Amino acid sequence: MSVQAWTYLIVAATFALYVGIAWWSRVRTTSGFYVAGRGVPAVANGMATGADWMSAASFISMAGLISFMGYTGTIYLMGWTGGYVLLALLLAPYLRKYGKFTTSEFVGDRYYSDAARLVAAACTIFVSFTYIAGQMRGVGVVFSRFLEVEVHWGVIIGVVIVFFYAVLGGMRGITYTQVAQYCVLIVAFLIPAAAISWKITGNPIPQFGFGGTVQEGQQAGVFLLEALDALHRELRLPEYTAAFVPGKKSMIDVTAITLALMVGTAGLPHVLVRFYTVRSARAARWSALWALVFIGLLYTTAPAVAAFARVNLISTLHNTSYNEVPEWFRSWETTGLISFDDQDGDGVIDMTDGVGELTVDRDIMVLANPEIAELPAWVVALVAAGGLAAALSTAAGLLLVIASAISHDIGKSILWKDMSSRRELLLARGTASVAVIVAAYFGISPPGFVAQVVAFAFGLAASSFFPVLVLGIFTRSTTKEGAITGMSSGILFTGAYIVYFRLIRPEATAEDWLFGISPEGIGAVGMLINFSLALIVSRFTKPPPEEVQQLVSEIRLPRERAADG
Amino acid sequence: MSNQPDPSAYWRANLRLMAVLLAVWFVCSYVLGIFLVEPLNGARVGGFPLGFWFAHQGSIYVFVVLILVYAAVMDRLDRRYGVD
């Protein structure tokens, strides 16, 4: 059977599985729609959080990105995992104890203010839309690369599937399809990773192979990372494991970006809401553990894959005659992801820095792995299904958060306080339908700014949500004025800095940046501004009312009140 | 046996635990993985420069262990202070 036939078969089978699960878990109540009836077991929620969290970018692009960044790739590795420690210790159990349906709802109630609720809901919608457009694009790209259909048809197929299970099944449908999607994506990531680790280092466990020795070729017996550093020296590139050498990011920038990504992770509404779906505060703590275990499986494998792919790329292509390139080079050349431009006309590939004979798209590092490792056609098909699972699961989670922010936080809590649950459910389904269509539109024709902004969703989440949530739980004295000032100045500062250095002065260099911090890391500064202003303003404004101070005491204790539903 | 609930003692115990775990979190990711990465890279563990290993592998394992310890100890605190 051909790769394409396998791909159709496996993708169709996984889609049928998702639709079946959605039908089985369809919901009829608002609690089912927003928070899956709060009955999700901690392990299942951990898996769902993993799928929700790991997007098309984590699955397809991250290992490739790290492969080109070497040490500096740590900003993604630590940045996108360390936030779970903050989430588990500072937020998840308390937000779950508080209950209700959304993060904005906590902000609105804790800060006794519909203005705070509205700011939080608006931040949620903005952050989630920038993020979802990238996912829809990812769906289209996977379809076009593996199934040779047009990108827009790929997006439409993806939208129909997401529409079906998000609108019908709500959070319950999303949760259980995400569990299935996690299984598909992790298997699809680990099989090629183990195979390439075994091929290059003789150890099938990538995390060990990473520190092992090269098996074959000129560098047989040399530690993989030493061989990689030597290859980089040969190409006149900075060493792979070197940290703050010229050509890589500075220490302060690495620190700021890592912090912004960590705190942003802990402040992303679609991640936070996952912890509303478990049975208790205690389950929320264990669920955060499972989430990080499942995420860590991919995140400790990805840097190993990055190093294997890098060694393989350089040692098989550098100084190789174009006529003798391996088979996978030919098959990916047609997609345009890798191309050879013979500058000196000698027919030999020269990868030395600055020569520019070989252009490599970083996505190829994951996508071509099965072929590099000479795996059968069905594994290639599985990688396609894994990429789709990663993109669809994240898109569905975001969609639900957007729908709840509109129908619940703005609709039920602000505009129509006496709306019946039946009508609210109808409204939630309606907004989810509209949101999915808007997302599809962004996926088919992404506005220029989306690609610019999507990487900054973290900075915005870091500088808006995280500080007010932490202060709302750990202090009784933070006032609504403090929270609103903090949230709006944090997000405005971060947003303005990003817009200025990305759109107005994109040519600016590290010397122009504030303290040498790039726009990717500025969310860390925005967060500090948010924290300080919220604390200062709270000192000079009227303390929160007694019932709010009681609410804070109440959420600190995991015990459920008897009347709690 | 069920103890008398003591919310403020429970909260203090929780904050102490958090402070310790967050200190470890900071040291393993920022101090060992970023600030001291260059001197640590002088040492090797198997095929890894030590600082690089913390940045690309070790910190993630530490994060998992931190949440494990937190969830397990909090379960004990919940019972000891009778707030579960």
Side-chain angles (χ1 to χ4, degrees):
Chain A
M1 237 162 90
S2 72
V3 170
Q4 197 159 11
W6 271 114
T7 311
Y8 273 111
L9 185 74
I10 292 185
V11 168
T14 54
F15 279 18
L17 175 70
Y18 307 152
V19 169
I21 292 171
W23 182 254
W24 164 75
S25 55
R26 63 195 183 279
V27 292
R28 289 188 196 82
T29 60
T30 45
S31 158
F33 192 88
Y34 292 133
V35 292
R38 300 193 204 287
V40 181
V43 181
N45 190 49
M47 277 195 195
T49 310
D52 202 25
W53 171 238
M54 291 187 283
S55 60
S58 290
F59 186 88
I60 299 171
S61 309
M62 191 177 70
L65 271 172
I66 296 167
S67 189
F68 284 84
M69 298 166 84
Y71 163 79
T72 313
T74 191
I75 56 176
Y76 301 124
L77 294 167
M78 291 204 295
W80 284 338
T81 54
Y84 279 85
V85 177
L86 301 176
L87 200 58
L89 270 60
L90 302 175
L91 302 174
Y94 308 108
L95 290 177
R96 171 60 193 88
K97 172 62 199 298
Y98 178 63
K100 303 223 179 161
F101 295 145
T102 70
T103 315
S104 323
E105 198 165 23
F106 173 74
V107 174
D109 292 355
R110 164 63 182 82
Y111 294 111
Y112 45 103
S113 151
D114 277 349
R117 191 188 310 272
L118 193 64
V119 173
C123 293
T124 302
I125 295 168
F126 182 72
V127 169
S128 303
F129 260 122
T130 53
Y131 213 107
I132 204 172
Q135 302 308 316
M136 282 301 167
R137 192 75 193 165
V139 172
V141 168
V142 172
F143 265 104
S144 70
R145 276 180 196 162
F146 285 90
L147 296 171
E148 287 164 29
V149 294
E150 294 285 330
V151 171
H152 66 268
W153 280 111
V155 172
I156 290 170
I157 298 169
V159 162
V160 171
I161 298 291
V162 173
F163 182 85
F164 189 80
Y165 68 76
V167 174
L168 189 72
M171 188 54 133
R172 206 168 116 85
I174 288 173
T175 303
Y176 290 103
T177 42
Q178 279 172 340
V179 170
Q181 282 159 338
Y182 176 78
C183 299
V184 171
L185 82 85
I186 200 71
V187 170
F189 197 84
L190 293 182
I191 290 179
I196 195 170
S197 177
W198 193 55
K199 182 179 151 76
I200 291 180
T201 67
N203 191 330
I205 301 169
Q207 287 82 347
F208 296 147
F210 198 9
T213 53
V214 179
Q215 284 268 294
E216 291 171 1
Q218 287 180 334
Q219 282 140 323
V222 178
F223 280 124
L224 178 92
L225 287 166
E226 280 178 8
L228 189 49
D229 282 344
L231 287 171
H232 269 222
R233 281 194 298 271
E234 201 182 320
L235 301 184
R236 284 187 246 128
L237 288 164
E239 287 185 2
Y240 190 82
T241 59
F244 310 114
V245 292
K248 295 198 180 189
K249 292 185 193 302
S250 66
M251 186 192 284
I252 183 159
D253 203 21
V254 169
T255 308
I257 297 176
T258 305
L259 186 61
L261 294 181
M262 280 188 184
V263 173
T265 301
L268 277 180
H270 73 284
V271 176
L272 290 169
V273 75
R274 288 245 43 103
F275 294 93
Y276 285 68
T277 67
V278 295
R279 290 195 181 92
S280 61
R282 175 174 179 265
R285 300 195 286 249
W286 286 100
S287 179
L289 171 69
W290 286 114
L292 189 60
V293 167
F294 293 129
I295 292 166
L297 206 51
L298 192 144
Y299 272 67
T300 52
T301 307
V305 169
F308 302 142
R310 188 84 188 145
V311 167
N312 187 68
L313 184 80
I314 300 173
S315 56
T316 57
L317 296 184
H318 182 55
N319 283 340
T320 302
S321 162
Y322 181 65
N323 298 320
E324 290 162 14
V325 294
E327 192 61 33
W328 62 266
F329 189 106
R330 301 269 176 228
S331 64
W332 286 91
E333 212 176 12
T334 54
T335 64
L337 288 187
I338 190 162
S339 64
F340 173 53
D341 175 13
D342 199 357
Q343 303 278 353
D344 50 9
D346 64 354
V348 174
I349 300 171
D350 183 355
M351 291 176 68
T352 309
D353 192 35
V355 174
E357 287 199 332
L358 189 74
T359 315
V360 187
D361 185 299
R362 55 186 188 235
D363 288 358
I364 206 170
M365 297 293 186
V366 167
L367 297 176
N369 253 347
E371 287 156 82
I372 294 171
E374 287 151 6
L375 292 171
W378 63 268
V379 179
V380 182
L382 197 59
V383 171
L388 287 172
L392 289 175
S393 54
T394 308
L398 290 161
L399 206 64
L400 191 101
V401 161
I402 294 171
S404 350
I406 297 172
S407 63
H408 190 70
D409 297 324
I410 299 178
K412 169 83 175 172
S413 305
I414 300 179
L415 295 177
W416 308 292
K417 288 192 199 289
D418 53 356
M419 177 162 56
S420 74
S421 302
R422 248 188 79 239
R423 293 203 73 124
E424 190 186 339
L425 185 59
L426 202 65
L427 178 64
R429 288 199 158 118
T431 31
S433 315
V434 175
V436 83
I437 292 165
V438 176
Y441 173 76
F442 280 150
I444 292 169
S445 52
F449 67 89
V450 165
Q452 299 274 355
V453 172
V454 74
F456 304 107
F458 290 90
L460 299 175
S463 60
S464 57
F465 279 116
F466 183 77
V468 294
L469 292 175
V470 168
L471 291 175
I473 295 162
F474 289 90
T475 68
R476 287 193 182 80
S477 56
T478 308
T479 64
K480 71 172 173 191
E481 293 84 357
I484 295 171
T485 318
M487 238 189 323
S488 36
S489 48
I491 202 167
L492 278 177
F493 169 78
T494 309
Y497 192 87
I498 292 169
V499 168
Y500 182 71
F501 281 114
R502 283 287 138 171
L503 302 180
I504 301 173
R505 281 189 60 196
E507 76 290 350
T509 59
E511 276 126 51
D512 302 312
W513 293 337
L514 181 68
F515 313 126
I517 296 173
S518 61
E520 286 86 345
I522 202 66
V525 180
M527 171 195 75
L528 295 177
I529 292 178
N530 184 340
F531 264 120
S532 344
L533 284 181
L535 286 170
I536 294 168
V537 172
S538 297
R539 287 195 63 140
F540 298 102
T541 42
K542 198 164 141 272
E546 185 55 32
E547 63 267 23
V548 167
Q549 307 207 20
Q550 288 223 306
L551 169 84
V552 177
S553 308
E554 184 60 37
I555 58 171
R556 291 177 178 182
L557 301 177
R559 180 184 44 214
E560 295 286 334
R561 283 154 297 178
D564 216 60
Chain B
M1 93 190 175
S2 180
N3 295 320
Q4 197 59 31
D6 185 351
S8 56
Y10 170 75
W11 188 245
R12 281 196 304 277
N14 177 16
L15 292 180
R16 267 199 303 278
L17 174 64
M18 265 176 46
V20 172
L21 296 180
L22 287 178
V24 176
W25 169 82
F26 180 80
V27 168
C28 285
S29 47
Y30 291 93
V31 177
L32 301 179
I34 300 179
F35 304 149
L36 298 179
V37 66
E38 290 184 323
L40 284 176
N41 275 350
R44 284 188 168 267
V45 176
F48 290 105
L50 188 56
F52 178 86
W53 181 79
F54 268 105
H56 275 218
Q57 296 274 295
S59 54
I60 303 175
Y61 301 133
V62 173
F63 297 153
V64 171
V65 172
L66 288 175
I67 305 184
L68 174 67
V69 170
Y70 174 71
V73 175
M74 286 307 283
D75 275 2
R76 295 242 303 274
L77 293 183
D78 286 355
R79 276 195 302 273
R80 184 184 308 158
Y81 293 98
V83 294
D84 56 343

